[in-house]
Amino acid sequence: MKALPLVIFAIVALAQWAAPLSQIWTHEQTLTQGTLIKLKCSAPDPYDPLRGRYLAVRPEQREASVPAGLKLESGTRVYATLTSGADGLATISSLSLTPPTSGDYIRVNVGYAYESKATIEWPFERFYINEKLAPEADEWFAENIRTSKGIIAEVRVLNGRAVLADLSLDGRSFREILKERVK
Amino acid sequence: MNTSHHRWLLEQLPKWESEGLLTTDAARTLRERHAVDASQPGAAQIIMGSLGALLIGTGLITIIGFNWDDFSRPVRLVFAFLPLLLSQLFSLRVMLRGDATAAWVRETAALLQALCTGACIALVSQIYNLGGEWPDFLFWWCLLSLPLVWVMKSSSVAIFYLIGIAEWSIHQVWGHQPWHASPMIYPLLLLGLFPFWPGWKLDRPLSITLRWVMTISAICGLCAAAHHATRMHFAESWGHFEVTLWQWVLTSAMLALFPLSSSALDATSRHKPQVILGFLHLLQFGVVATFLDMGQELAKAVREAWQVPWTWVLIAVIAAFAVHAIFRRRWAVLSVASIAITPVLALVMGETAQAVLPWLMTLHLSLIGITLIVLEFTGRRGAPRLGAALLCVLIIARMFESELSLLTKGLAFIVIGVAFLAFNICMSRLARQKQLPQS
């Protein structure tokens, strides 16, 4: 057995581990050290053949103001500063091409820009759920998505990276509510 | 002869020897000449091994899809990495055993590892609720699986990779992709398979299945690249699809002219899918271009296509391949590939190009049809039946376009049909006469 194929195999095997491990590392950092941000959202219930059922999470805020003099194009990566209101829900207060020096911010892509506004592509869009709970989750969403309280996406934010940690309604975790409903 | 033919022949030899049909020396010579390389898996072995690996891999992905959210995150991560680790250990064992391992086991191990890699990435992204698009996932999955093709000499992972990069290229046509995330890099991705064949002489022969998959993948990838290049050049404005269509014709010419070694030239047509598929597309384009209505669209498309750099890349590659084809005396292939260049010749006529083009194409196709027939009768490599069929199609096309009465058209079709059948019979007799002196 020649050594070169074994060396290449070892590198491949390490790369196959490194790709998911690097994802785990950055997302664990965000989950454990990131600031909790709450966003009001809307969501239907689609399916991914590889990763199973998920709720497509869409924060209500779809566009933000573009500061004067900042020229944005479709696909540009910008930093969105998040500011929490009196109700505890966060909104994008400003956009910039460089990371802000203070406050919580996330990296987002610009969908398209027009006049002084730009549509935002949020960096999270899916919340995966157990196949057994999916039909109940679907119903729960339909019942609550248009209520005044609405469904809240709880997102951990660190150094521009965002990880969707949970969904909640009236301060209670979505999974807890679903498990009670299924019983 | 393919591997199954060799195997059949080797199975018959002992019987023929015992019946006295063959001497021991003749049987030994045949055994040496038609030896089957045991390290190369048979099609059935690959299919069975791949099917087993596919079922296990799909099973893992489906179990992942259930989403075991009763377990903690670390436990679910162990679920993600355990199959990958086991498949890697299996592959390592197969590699260490070397030639002692059956070919189908090697194929199964490689494909299983590739599938477990995809399942692991999918599960991690499920656990962390990562978004991401299917093409991005597919791209990284393919790249992480590619080295398995080299080190484990796996045909099934090569097929997976070829399908994967073709699918990725088609997805990337749309949107605002920079060049390094667009189908323009498809040729580089295809070159990634190069170490699969050791040495510059490409010593490892390709199976027919792999040849066909590679050709279809190349068609998808290169056509996607052409479409993307045109879209980007014209800043996505509408009305330039004809430019892409002509670039696809140039791509077909390039594939048909792809350089072949002397032994590959002597192989049967089904060993050369790039020639078959290239011919089909070029001839279909040629016949469509003979219709008078098409002249204007085509002339406009060719004029605009010169502005797109991808067209120049295609022309340059075609020129290089054509020179090689001339040295190899591939006259039939050269004559059919020249269909792609006919619209350019029409442009020489300036403003009248759109009126001239259909007639020029008709003349060109007629000459090709006659050439393919004449080549055969002058002892060179021709394609008389294809030539005759081409002439028939041309006459039928002109009949459809003409304003002759239905009776005249009907009679003409009957005459053409009879002439075609008579030609076929003549060719069959000629082929039989050629075989007689040898037997």
Side-chain angles (χ1 to χ4, degrees):
Chain A
M1 184 76 212
K2 287 180 186 170
L4 184 62
L6 279 176
V7 171
I8 297 174
F9 179 79
I11 294 168
V12 177
L14 285 175
Q16 286 171 345
W17 279 71
L21 280 176
S22 68
Q23 294 275 25
I24 293 169
W25 171 254
T26 50
H27 288 84
E28 278 295 338
Q29 293 273 311
T30 311
L31 279 172
T32 52
Q33 296 170 28
T35 314
L36 182 67
I37 295 288
K38 294 180 178 182
L39 296 159
K40 198 172 177 190
C41 60
S42 56
D45 173 26
Y47 176 74
D48 181 321
L50 282 172
R51 292 175 281 189
R53 287 204 171 273
Y54 66 89
L55 296 164
V57 177
R58 299 204 179 99
E60 256 185 3
Q61 188 176 9
R62 306 304 298 275
E63 56 180 33
S65 300
V66 179
L70 183 63
K71 199 179 173 192
L72 297 178
E73 286 178 3
S74 178
T76 310
R77 180 171 280 189
V78 292
Y79 293 88
T81 305
L82 296 162
T83 311
S84 294
D87 55 0
L89 298 176
T91 51
I92 295 174
S93 53
S94 70
L95 297 176
S96 60
L97 288 173
T98 51
T101 49
S102 62
D104 296 309
Y105 62 91
I106 53 172
R107 271 195 315 242
V108 295
N109 283 335
V110 172
Y112 58 92
Y114 60 99
E115 296 170 358
S116 60
K117 298 271 183 189
T119 59
I120 300 301
E121 290 173 3
W122 291 87
F124 46 83
E125 54 187 9
R126 297 175 176 201
F127 190 81
Y128 289 94
I129 46 174
N130 181 285
E131 194 182 48
K132 265 197 312 197
L133 298 176
E136 195 59 36
D138 208 11
E139 264 181 49
W140 178 73
F141 256 96
E143 286 168 18
N144 295 291
I145 198 66
R146 287 180 186 84
T147 59
S148 57
K149 288 173 187 168
I151 289 162
I152 308 299
E154 295 185 359
V155 182
R156 290 272 174 188
V157 174
L158 181 70
N159 298 330
R161 192 177 289 279
V163 178
L164 185 55
D166 205 354
L167 296 176
S168 65
L169 177 72
D170 214 5
R172 290 185 67 207
S173 167
F174 145 83
R175 282 204 180 89
E176 278 176 32
I177 299 169
L178 278 189
K179 279 175 186 167
E180 271 178 26
R181 283 172 66 119
V182 169
K183 275 178 190 170
Chain B
M1 280 174 91
N2 62 26
T3 313
S4 59
H5 294 141
H6 291 300
R7 284 206 175 96
W8 177 85
L9 182 66
L10 294 174
E11 280 169 15
Q12 307 306 312
L13 291 179
K15 192 177 156 197
W16 293 347
E17 262 185 284
S18 64
E19 289 173 358
L21 287 170
L22 284 176
T23 62
T24 312
D25 283 346
R28 192 176 54 239
T29 309
L30 282 172
R31 274 193 193 96
E32 284 166 5
R33 184 175 289 181
H34 298 281
V36 174
D37 183 359
S39 67
Q40 298 289 317
Q45 286 177 331
I46 291 181
I47 291 167
M48 295 308 285
S50 304
L51 204 61
L54 264 176
L55 282 168
I56 296 171
T58 314
L60 280 172
I61 290 168
T62 312
I63 290 169
I64 288 164
F66 180 78
N67 197 337
W68 303 84
D69 61 358
D70 288 338
F71 294 104
S72 65
R73 216 161 44 228
V75 173
R76 287 156 75 195
L77 285 172
V78 170
F79 283 168
F81 283 96
L82 196 60
L84 178 61
L85 179 65
L86 291 176
S87 68
Q88 285 175 341
L89 291 173
F90 180 31
S91 296
L92 182 63
R93 185 168 178 270
V94 165
M95 285 184 71
L96 291 174
R97 287 190 68 195
D99 293 340
T101 311
W104 73 269
V105 177
R106 196 181 64 220
E107 288 291 339
T108 307
L111 187 62
L112 195 60
Q113 190 178 339
L115 290 170
C116 286
T117 305
C120 180
I121 300 170
L123 186 49
V124 168
S125 63
Q126 185 204 66
I127 291 168
Y128 289 96
N129 292 310
L130 306 184
E133 299 296 323
W134 161 248
D136 296 335
F137 169 72
L138 186 63
F139 180 79
W140 289 107
W141 190 7
C142 284
L143 284 195
L144 288 172
S145 305
L146 173 64
L148 294 175
V149 181
W150 315 331
V151 293
M152 298 189 76
K153 302 286 171 214
S154 167
S155 301
S156 52
V157 179
I159 289 171
F160 161 75
Y161 178 77
L162 285 165
I163 295 171
I165 58 172
E167 158 101 359
W168 178 82
S169 301
I170 292 167
H171 269 286
Q172 298 302 92
V173 165
W174 308 107
H176 307 270
Q177 317 294 349
W179 71 269
H180 53 82
S182 78
M184 311 287 279
I185 63 161
Y186 177 85
L188 288 177
L189 294 174
L190 192 59
L191 278 178
L193 279 178
F194 190 66
F196 184 45
W197 304 278
W200 287 102
K201 288 185 176 175
L202 305 176
D203 292 338
R204 188 183 162 85
L206 276 182
S207 69
I208 293 178
T209 313
L210 205 49
R211 280 167 201 252
W212 278 89
V213 174
M214 186 174 280
T215 304
I216 293 167
S217 173
I219 290 170
C220 295
L222 294 172
C223 287
H227 190 37
H228 182 82
T230 307
R231 275 186 69 237
M232 290 297 109
H233 183 80
F234 293 109
E236 299 190 47
S237 62
W238 295 97
H240 302 284
F241 190 62
E242 291 81 4
V243 174
T244 304
L245 287 179
W246 188 55
Q247 286 178 337
W248 289 355
V249 173
L250 291 175
T251 307
S252 294
M254 185 177 78
L255 287 173
L257 286 167
F258 189 81
L260 295 174
S261 64
S262 307
S263 57
L265 280 176
D266 293 331
T268 55
S269 298
R270 68 195 189 105
H271 285 81
K272 294 178 271 191
Q274 75 280 11
V275 177
I276 295 178
L277 297 176
F279 270 29
L280 282 174
H281 186 212
L282 285 162
L283 292 172
Q284 175 252 328
F285 165 77
V287 173
V288 170
T290 62
F291 285 88
L292 296 174
D293 298 346
M294 296 301 297
Q296 190 176 359
E297 299 281 336
L298 262 176
K300 177 175 167 272
V302 176
R303 276 197 196 99
E304 286 179 349
W306 292 113
Q307 302 164 27
V308 185
W310 189 255
T311 309
W312 289 98
V313 172
L314 290 172
I315 297 273
V317 177
I318 287 173
F321 286 2
V323 171
H324 187 270
I326 290 168
F327 280 115
R328 293 281 182 192
R329 298 172 180 276
R330 298 173 70 191
W331 307 120
V333 175
L334 277 163
S335 68
V336 176
S338 64
I339 291 172
I341 309 298
T342 312
V344 183
L345 298 176
L347 289 192
V348 178
M349 306 304 291
E351 290 300 308
T352 55
Q354 60 191 59
V356 170
L357 205 156
W359 292 109
L360 194 62
M361 189 61 89
T362 307
L363 180 68
H364 193 164
L365 288 183
S366 307
L367 285 173
I368 289 172
I370 294 164
T371 307
L372 291 177
I373 297 168
V374 171
L375 280 175
E376 186 70 14
F377 288 98
T378 51
R380 293 171 197 165
R381 197 191 301 271
R385 286 191 172 91
L386 179 63
L390 185 57
L391 291 175
C392 281
V393 170
L394 274 180
I395 296 167
I396 292 167
R398 294 292 69 75
M399 283 287 152
F400 271 118
E401 210 172 34
S402 75
E403 290 177 3
L404 295 171
S405 71
L406 284 177
L407 181 68
T408 317
K409 283 181 182 176
L411 287 170
F413 286 152
I414 291 168
V415 171
I416 296 164
V418 170
F420 187 64
L421 289 176
F423 182 80
N424 239 341
I425 292 166
C426 285
M427 288 311 302
S428 301
R429 284 187 182 160
L430 201 68
R432 224 175 298 144
Q433 278 172 1
K434 275 185 186 173
Q435 282 173 353
L436 276 177
Q438 290 169 5
S439 59

